[in-house]
Amino acid sequence: MHSRQTVIYICEEYPSGNRYYYKKELITHDSWMNPKSLEWSAPRPISEKTFIERARAGYRTEYRKINKPKAKVYPFPPPEHRCYPYYPNMRWR
């Protein structure tokens, strides 16, 4: 478990209403005395319960509102690349 200074808890909310919770930890590749070696870790998923508990305990939290356009849905396979049974005269090897 990290101290309050070396961890951040993140809540990302999307237009669909979905919320995703992550934590990032401050890590070092050399020494804590070398500021150039400090870096945030990859986001690791946590539960909503953990996020709320840490926020109440005074840990650093961050709320992010993500505004991305809706995904475009493509049919699979695309109509121009369909094969059997759509082209029954095609020879198969």
Side-chain angles (χ1 to χ4, degrees):
M1 180 117 167
H2 283 257
S3 68
R4 288 189 172 99
Q5 292 83 18
T6 61
V7 70
I8 183 170
Y9 292 90
I10 303 165
C11 172
E12 292 182 349
E13 185 175 357
Y14 288 84
S16 63
N18 293 341
R19 290 183 181 163
Y20 298 96
Y21 300 93
Y22 304 98
K23 81 172 182 177
K24 283 186 168 186
E25 300 166 339
L26 193 61
I27 57 174
T28 181
H29 299 286
D30 178 30
S31 165
W32 288 103
M33 302 305 286
N34 181 4
K36 291 182 181 178
S37 72
L38 298 178
E39 191 175 312
W40 287 104
S41 68
R44 302 181 72 181
I46 58 170
S47 67
E48 180 181 10
K49 180 182 174 185
T50 301
F51 180 83
I52 292 169
E53 286 176 0
R54 298 297 185 260
R56 287 183 184 154
Y59 284 82
R60 209 165 95 191
T61 57
E62 194 173 287
Y63 292 88
R64 297 178 182 169
K65 185 84 170 171
I66 309 295
N67 292 317
K68 288 187 176 180
K70 290 184 179 180
K72 188 172 182 180
V73 179
Y74 293 100
F76 184 76
E80 63 271 7
H81 293 107
R82 290 190 180 164
C83 54
Y84 187 82
Y86 300 101
Y87 297 104
N89 296 333
M90 182 182 281
R91 291 187 62 193
W92 290 86
R93 294 182 184 178

